[in-house]
Amino acid sequence: MLIIPTLGLLAILLFFVNHQAGQDSVDRWLEMEGLDRLGDFDDDSYYKAYVQKYSELGFDKPDFYFSVAPSNYPKTLNEIANPEERKELKESLCLGYTTEEFEKQRHLEVFERHPPHNSWHAPSFRWHGVDNQFHQWIMTVVRFDFGDSVLDGRSSVKKLWEALPWTLSLVIFSIILTTLIAVPFGIWLSGIKSAQKRNLIKLCSFLVYSIPVFWLATLAVMFMTNSTYGEFLHIFPSVGVRFRESEMSTWAYVFSNIDRLLLPVICMAIHYMAFAVVQVESTINRQLSEHYIQTLRMKGINERSIRWKYAFRNGLIPILTMIISGIPSALGGSVIIEVIFNLPGIGRLLFSSINAADWNVISLVVFMIALISIIVYFVGDLIYTWINPKVRFSKTEI
Amino acid sequence: MKESRVTYKTLHPEGKSLPLSLLIILSLIGLFYPFISNDIPILAVDSDGIHAPVLESVFDRSKNLSRESTEYDWSLKPLFKFSPHNQHEQCISLSPFSSCHTTSSTHWLGTDSIGRDSLAGILNGLYIAVKVGFLSSIISLIIGVLFGLVSGYYGDYTLRVSRISLGLWTLFSLVWCYASVYTTFLIFGLSIWFNLITYAIFSFLIFYLFHKYVGGLLGYSVIPIDFIVQRFMEIFKSIPNLVLLLALLATLKKASLWNVIWIIGLIRWPEICRYVRSEMLVARESNYLRSVRALGLEDFRIIIKHALPNVISPVLVSASFGFAIAILMESSLSFLGIGVPLNEITLGSMLNEARTNFQMWWLAVFPGLLIFVLMSAAYFWGQSIERRLDHRLKNQVMG
């Protein structure tokens, strides 16, 4: 139930990640704006552009609301844009030099000629106020404005918004397919009398469950989406999506490509179906050993009704929990499926932004996926407590 | 109690277990892969005496010992005459059971687009998969069992720590953080491991010594460690595994296999912790633990000597599932090309190559088949242990 602390902790972790990686991305921004001759700090024009971009991105602000540093440090080391200079200054300050002495001997070889001595300058407390990187980051998260992507300069929230319908439709379709096929199959399986046949089917579904999803998808793409192995196998359309006609909203784009979604949904759903069949069957069996089933049998209701109407209704709660917890796993599995089938969803966005070290988009996507998972678990808890009549009618607090 | 211990019989039900033997055989094949498929001989005799080139290349990776066999008087060659990393430009994209012009032996499973033998690549991939699986399972076991034991045994109300120790430890941690950031440790090159290990030693000394001698002076306070560990576990559980894995790997600049092993281990520990904690909650109320506490033993001894052997059994089930999932994660990572170094030939990277070249079906079928066999063997073994333990517990409760 503690959504806010979990999200808050995640935001703090993402801050550390962004803080380290973002300072390396100044070069990427400059490259995107068309500057060449990167990395050469002696070049005046590059140095000026670097310093300007560095302060524009906000890296010259202090790290946190306050800092406890030795008293020979300047107010904040972050004002120095050049990372090598910053490192040199930090090392010399550690060794006890004051800032004026560093101005005199800027180069490292001079620095090495003077052997280090341990001088422990007393720690001092400096208050930086609201103008610091951490505060900027928290405001970014709260306002949900993660900045622009380094790859093409568009706003990262816009990129996410365009990619979200693909993943959502993939996940929703595969959950629906799993529910429609696996749940009746599981109930039918629990009614099979011969234990040998039942165990054989359970063994088969366990084997299907342990097939890696990306292997199945790669085989499907290789054999069934092209004519290399014969025209009769070319059942599904080729991977990728059709070109987007202008003035089409994203949902209309998704629905125009719905035949391309068929094979990805099948590949994803097979894995969950195998898991769901075994779970449903064990849930129904557990229900069948309860006392009320004995009462129903004494009343004369036939076995088929018992399983499909009564045991299923009471076993709905664990089944629903399993289905709802399948949504976050489907989000995780969508990364691989979208990369294989070249669908422009969240998974492929994450993959391409990791390859390009595009930290704004990476933070946004990870945060979004965590947010969706937490909300789904929360809603699942709510549904579970609402559906369970014992809780609904008993007036105890959740 | 003794019934639920993990014994030899639990691991080998009725003496025969197909999944376990399959796992052991595949692990051994993976571990000894340089001896099975290599282009340098295992043992060679020439005018200088007896050499063992394969052993030399294993212990010293930089040596390149692929000499032609005609230079040796007598040599004992491995079973398959190709090494995973050697490329022959004339032999690209061969289908299975074909042989190339330059060498006389057949490529049993074909070659890939730059001429590396596919069978040797599969064996190399098997080695990496087994290595990642074992090591990350061990890491997640250690962390998960530690946290599970402590949070299950102490619960929310039992862990009493003396306030002097707590205050001293907080002060000490702050000073340590300040010192490790702002002083000469960084310059003299003392690594972060040294820092962490000395920190752990000092914390242990503070808690142990002070607790013994000066502990009671300011009274004790209760730490709700169960609550803390559960919130911690929830963070890991609420984000999908693969997404968390990708995000954590993207922060590390260097792509190395050890990073992957550590991070998979750090992601999988909540599962094991959950099992250990629930077993511990049951065991806490049982008679044998109560009697040992009544005897007055210290908590540490009770946990390690008496509780741990009895709660470890479901952990083995979870560890076998964790092994399978670690293999799956590592293959997914090398399939995507993130985290695992790109010059390593693993099962996932062979699948990735097959994804773009449709006519090389042998690159997709055989590595994937091997992943499938490994994972299903691990799952079935875990299931058989689970069934075995369930039977024993049921018999114990009834009779």
Side-chain angles (χ1 to χ4, degrees), chain B residues 347-359:
Chain B
L347 301 167
S349 72
M350 293 178 80
L351 273 173
N352 192 19
E353 208 173 324
R355 185 162 70 95
T356 42
N357 303 313
F358 289 147
Q359 59 276 12

Side-chain angles (χ1 to χ4, degrees), chain B residues 185-215:
Chain B
F185 284 137
L186 286 173
I187 302 180
F188 285 124
L190 290 175
S191 68
I192 190 168
W193 287 112
F194 178 79
N195 269 339
L196 286 176
I197 290 176
T198 44
Y199 181 74
I201 293 177
F202 270 107
S203 319
F204 177 69
L205 281 177
I206 287 178
F207 276 112
Y208 191 63
L209 286 176
F210 273 74
H211 195 74
K212 244 185 151 137
Y213 299 112
V214 208

Side-chain angles (χ1 to χ4, degrees), chain A residues 2 9 17 24 68 70 73 91 94 118 120 123 203 206-207 210 214-215 222 226 229 328 332 336 339 351 359 373, chain B residues 178 182-184 187 231 235 238 240 250-251 253 331-332 336 351 354-355 358-359 361 364 368-369 372 376 379-380:
Chain A
L2 294 149
L9 212 68
V17 159
D24 303 332
V68 179
Y73 267 55
E91 282 176 6
C94 277
N118 276 338
W120 299 72
L203 188 91
F206 210 61
L207 275 177
S210 52
F214 59 94
W215 184 44
M222 188 180 261
N226 53 51
Y229 295 96
I336 294 187
V339 167
F351 172 67
W359 282 101
S373 314
Chain B
Y178 178 81
Y182 287 120
T183 65
T184 53
I187 302 180
R231 294 308 135 222
I235 299 174
S238 58
T251 67
K253 299 198 176 45
S331 322
S332 318
L336 293 173
L351 273 173
R355 185 162 70 95
F358 289 147
Q359 59 276 12
W361 56 271
L369 200 63
F372 168 60
S376 49
Y379 276 141
F380 277 114

Side-chain angles (χ1 to χ4, degrees), chain A residues 81-185:
Chain A
N82 188 350
E84 287 148 15
E85 236 180 75
R86 206 182 325 138
K87 206 168 76 132
E88 274 182 34
L89 181 61
K90 190 171 181 190
E91 282 176 6
S92 62
L93 287 175
C94 277
L95 289 174
Y97 288 108
T98 57
T99 324
E100 296 90 41
E101 283 173 19
F102 179 73
E103 295 291 325
K104 278 186 251 166
Q105 32 204 10
R106 277 173 81 86
H107 300 284
L108 206 54
E109 57 271 14
V110 176
F111 183 80
E112 275 174 12
R113 273 185 242 141
H114 296 256
H117 55 278
N118 276 338
S119 84
W120 299 72
H121 287 243
S124 66
F125 180 88
R126 299 141 205 268
W127 176 255
H128 296 300
V130 179
D131 183 29
N132 55 22
Q133 291 183 29
F134 187 73
H135 190 77
Q136 296 291 332
W137 170 251
I138 296 288
M139 283 297 121
T140 322
V141 171
V142 163
R143 266 189 251 131
F144 222 70
D145 168 32
F146 276 78
D148 295 338
S149 145
V150 168
L151 269 182
D152 48 5
R154 289 193 296 154
S155 146
S156 37
V157 177
K158 190 163 191 302
K159 275 177 110 164
L160 182 80
W161 195 244
E162 280 174 9
L164 198 57
W166 290 98
T167 310
L168 277 184
S169 30
L170 195 68
V171 166
I172 290 177
F173 283 145
S174 60
I175 296 273
I176 291 178
L177 193 70
T178 311
T179 319
L180 284 180
I181 295 187
V183 172
F185 192 73

